[in-house]
Amino acid sequence: MDASPGRRGMAAAAGVGAAALGAGAGELLAALFAPSASPFAVIGGTLIDAAPTWAKDTAIAWFGTADKTALLVGIGIILLALAAAAGIAEARWSRSGVIALAVIGVAAGALALTRADAGLLSWLPSVLAGAIAAVALRMLLRSAAFAGATASPPASADRAEVRAPDAATDPSRRRFLAWAGGTALVGVAVGVAGALTKAGSAAVSTVREAIRLPRPATPAPAVPSGAALEVPGLAPLITPNRDFYRIDTALIVPTVDPADWRLRIHGMVADEVTLTWDELLALPLTERAVTLSCVSNPVGGDLVGTAVWLGYPIRELLQRAGVDADADMVLSTSADGFTAGTPLAALTDDRDALLAIGMNGEPLPLAHGFPVRMVVPGLYGYVSATKWVTDLEVTRFDRARAYWTDRGWSERGPIKLQSRIDVPRAGRAVDAGDAVIAGVAWQPGTGISGVDVQIDDGPWERAELASALSADTWVQWRMPWRAEAGEHSIRCRAIAADGTVQTDAVAAPAPDGASGWHTIDVTVS
Ligand SMILES: Nc1nc2c(c(=O)[nH]1)N[C@H]1C(S)=C(S)[C@@H](COP(=O)(O)O)O[C@H]1N2
Ligand SMILES: [Mo]
């Protein structure tokens, strides 16, 4: 096999390109899923912690306040040298370089889990970075471009006529180097995107943490005693922000500085209205507990939660704008271009559809729409709960379409009457004897008047219903159960405040929400 410097150089370039792509992807993945676990930060942090004092002192003496940058640059150079070596090794001994890159990734992932601020996903950016680098290296070295660039010159009787190809001028080599360089450039671009994302969300997070929410002019009614049942494993009455489901189309969480935020209300109105953050905060705010659900929530699923929202009734703003009599929809748009079409009536009736700034006593978390989102009791999120909202256009359903209605989902999205069994957990073993069955039931806007439970083929029995926070929130329920050994199936159905019984007709989430009774199987022993 030809091991000319040309071939080695080409393989080294492939290693560097592949590693740059992996490292860049690792930075972006970290910015998205595990901000403290960027592969560079992990390796750098470990080195800083492990370095002897004299080394730290020397670094500070040499580089001063740029010591951390110097460290990161140093790590970068060492990783690139390792990557070049991995490329050369791979070209010689197939798989050796690929394995080396993957091992570096796994090692950095393991280091990530030892860091003080490690989370569940901390290993992910490094391991994926290694895997991406390994795959890219393999693809580059198995490409036709590499084969062409490193092909031995045809054996010729007249050796003098065959000139050793020059890496810089041979077109096939130039083509391969362009591939390797392109791979590296993509890596740099992706890494820069990751760094910008992190910097952007860090800056807006700082702004968010400094915000002191105004007191509500109309506070949420006090929690009635007996609204929260004490059953381990039952969904809490109010879902903590960190556990609240998140659904959106944003790959990168939009970072909107409140100082730059504007809401424009226009379209079929008498007077356009523009609202700034300071103006919004100065208005008399309303606080309400509301259960929000995603239309994609399957029967028994957890894409549903309840929070105490603080905001200003959208009704008041629409009134200020003066809505045309023949408008019937408001198309809301977010900073990242998502749109939802909400029936005008749901925003103008007395249900207190909110332009929300607070969630459970805090400014909205970035992922839940900071600084401002919509919350409309009774409607699925996709037609109403626009996060990072910046624009309300008063229009008509026969004139405008929204993000998900354009993709086949129903134009109207009232939340269906639903109930869920949380305890016991489906598929879990239950001890024979006194047990409890418990769950939640909801139909925001209407409210719940009862929940029935059926065990195996027995009669439907009415469960104990906790006090409701309001008609807009889910209600907890429970039922004592003498569990006898064997396999059992348990199902539940809710009864709405208007007397409607939850349907057993099974429907998939598309196009307007799942229906059917939540049924679980448990083994009692
Ligand atoms: N900007 C924006 N807002 C959005 C969405 C989105 O994709 N982009 N998704 C909607 C959907 S489908 C749901 S179910 C809710 C979810 O809100 P949450 O993530 O705060 O639970 O947000 C709604 N608002
Ligand atoms: Mo949703």
Side-chain angles (χ1 to χ4, degrees):
M1 180 160 279
D2 172 28
S4 67
R7 180 181 165 84
R8 261 210 304 280
M10 221 87 51
V16 168
L21 181 66
E27 295 306 299
L28 181 60
L29 287 164
L32 296 179
F33 302 111
S36 64
S38 112
F40 276 93
V42 165
I43 298 174
T46 307
L47 287 178
I48 291 175
D49 295 347
T53 313
W54 62 261
K56 287 180 196 162
D57 292 346
T58 313
I60 293 171
W62 283 5
F63 301 110
T65 51
D67 58 338
K68 294 209 176 52
T69 313
L71 177 68
L72 292 177
V73 169
I75 294 171
I77 291 172
I78 291 170
L79 283 180
L80 289 183
L82 286 174
I88 293 168
E90 177 72 21
R92 276 225 150 169
W93 304 288
S94 181
R95 303 241 147 110
S96 60
V98 166
I99 291 173
L101 291 179
V103 166
I104 293 174
V106 170
L111 277 184
L113 288 175
T114 68
R115 306 296 301 156
D117 51 359
L120 272 182
L121 289 182
S122 293
W123 54 275
L124 185 107
S126 297
V127 170
L128 285 182
I132 289 170
V135 170
L137 177 61
R138 188 144 179 91
M139 287 176 66
L140 281 170
L141 291 191
R142 301 197 117 200
S143 65
F146 187 70
T150 57
S152 310
S156 161
D158 189 355
R159 296 286 304 180
E161 278 183 25
V162 181
R163 301 225 307 240
D166 175 349
T169 55
D170 180 348
S172 58
R173 295 194 168 198
R174 270 211 308 268
R175 179 148 24 92
F176 179 74
L177 288 176
W179 269 105
T183 306
L185 276 186
V186 171
V188 169
V190 170
V192 167
L196 290 179
T197 303
K198 212 160 118 184
S201 62
V204 173
S205 294
T206 308
V207 172
R208 177 182 176 274
E209 265 142 42
I211 290 172
R212 305 255 303 131
L213 290 178
R215 289 181 173 285
T218 315
V223 177
S225 67
L229 302 178
E230 308 252 314
V231 179
L234 172 62
L237 185 59
I238 302 294
T239 315
N241 289 353
R242 67 174 179 284
D243 297 335
F244 207 96
Y245 81 92
R246 172 188 167 200
I247 292 285
D248 54 59
T249 59
L251 180 58
I252 294 175
V253 175
T255 46
V256 180
D257 187 335
D260 301 330
W261 179 84
R262 296 282 182 284
L263 179 75
R264 181 172 165 238
I265 303 176
H266 62 109
M268 299 169 71
V269 296
D271 302 295
E272 270 196 37
V273 170
T274 311
L275 195 69
T276 66
W277 171 253
D278 288 338
E279 286 164 355
L280 176 55
L281 259 63
L283 293 169
L285 302 183
T286 297
E287 197 184 44
R288 278 197 158 272
V290 176
T291 294
L292 184 63
S293 171
C294 182
V295 68
S296 300
N297 194 34
V299 172
D302 57 6
L303 300 179
V304 54
T306 301
V308 178
W309 307 94
L310 172 71
Y312 188 65
I314 296 172
R315 179 181 60 236
E316 307 290 337
L317 294 169
L318 290 175
Q319 196 175 6
R320 207 195 278 184
V323 172
D324 281 10
D326 45 347
D328 65 2
M329 186 246 249
V330 172
L331 186 74
S332 51
T333 306
S334 69
D336 66 333
F338 170 87
T339 52
T342 311
L344 180 64
L347 301 176
T348 50
D349 64 19
D350 60 5
R351 78 181 75 188
D352 279 348
L354 294 180
L355 192 61
I357 60 167
M359 182 175 183
N360 293 333
E362 287 175 25
L364 294 175
L366 264 51
H368 292 288
F370 180 82
V372 184
R373 76 174 301 170
M374 289 169 56
V375 176
V376 184
L379 301 184
Y380 285 123
Y382 81 106
V383 292
S384 69
T386 304
K387 304 190 270 187
W388 315 288
V389 65
T390 57
D391 190 285
L392 300 182
E393 181 189 351
V394 179
T395 178
R396 295 181 49 87
F397 275 103
D398 59 16
R399 281 187 206 163
R401 295 163 65 73
Y403 188 90
W404 286 114
T405 50
D406 256 347
R407 288 160 177 79
W409 293 79
S410 172
E411 219 169 49
R412 312 280 167 142
I415 298 181
K416 292 183 178 176
L417 175 59
Q418 261 301 340
S419 53
R420 186 181 77 194
I421 302 164
D422 286 350
V423 181
R425 280 262 172 271
R428 288 291 165 75
V430 176
D431 292 337
D434 282 325
V436 62
I437 303 169
V440 283
W442 65 92
Q443 186 173 37
T446 308
I448 299 297
S449 65
V451 171
D452 291 339
V453 175
Q454 184 188 36
I455 296 162
D456 302 323
D457 296 321
W460 285 97
E461 286 182 72
R462 194 47 65 93
E464 175 197 338
L465 199 64
S467 317
L469 272 183
S470 79
D472 294 329
T473 56
W474 62 16
V475 183
Q476 297 179 334
W477 56 268
R478 81 172 150 200
M479 205 180 80
W481 178 36
R482 270 210 70 82
E484 286 171 17
E487 306 283 324
H488 297 286
S489 83
I490 308 171
R491 59 182 62 81
C492 66
R493 66 178 187 201
I495 297 97
D498 62 8
T500 312
V501 178
Q502 183 186 332
T503 179
D504 65 338
V506 173
D512 64 356
S515 69
W517 293 332
H518 188 208
T519 305
I520 64 165
D521 294 316
V522 292
T523 307
V524 177
S525 52

